Amino acid sequence: MTNKNDNSSSDIKKMSTLLLSGATMLADSCPDCNVPLFKKGDNIFCPKCGRKAVYVRSDEEIKQIEYTHSFSETKETIQDIITGKLNFLAQKLAASEDLEEIKIVAQIMDLLLELTVKISSVK
Ligand SMILES: [Zn+2]
């Protein structure tokens, strides 16, 4: 118990020494020790285990956010296109007296409606 307390107070000492030496404390923490990572110059490291940190994970997170963001825009674009086509098909359906054409138009409308449901369920 006392040992653990000693350890964490020496961690704090190490961290404050680092801060005084011009290192910056980062929002991310070491996956092993759970203490905040420090950055000094180009080096990002854990003050406790001394391991250099490599920022692979956060890069992936950024890409993930960008991907989600651009996909939600794509989703909106697709929905707009489908809505436009459905309007066009509805007019065609209203104007048509050809049973074969009505059948085809109805089938396409059905497909497009299915597509809108599928797209809106994609997260
Ligand atoms: Zn560590």
Side-chain angles (χ1 to χ4, degrees), residues 29-37 45-52:
S29 50
C30 174
D32 291 330
C33 327
N34 220 26
V35 297
L37 293 172
F45 54 92
C46 167
K48 196 172 180 181
C49 64
R51 255 197 353 212
K52 236 175 121 171

Side-chain angles (χ1 to χ4, degrees), residues 5 16 21 29 42 47 93:
N5 283 342
S16 51
S21 75
S29 50
D42 286 332
L93 196 64

Side-chain angles (χ1 to χ4, degrees), residues 15 19 23-31 34-39 44-45 47 53 55 57-58 61:
M15 286 188 237
L19 285 171
T24 11
M25 193 163 83
L26 302 174
D28 301 287
S29 50
C30 174
N34 220 26
V35 297
L37 293 172
F38 277 75
K39 191 183 178 183
I44 295 164
F45 54 92
Y55 266 68
R57 206 192 62 190
S58 60
E61 273 171 5

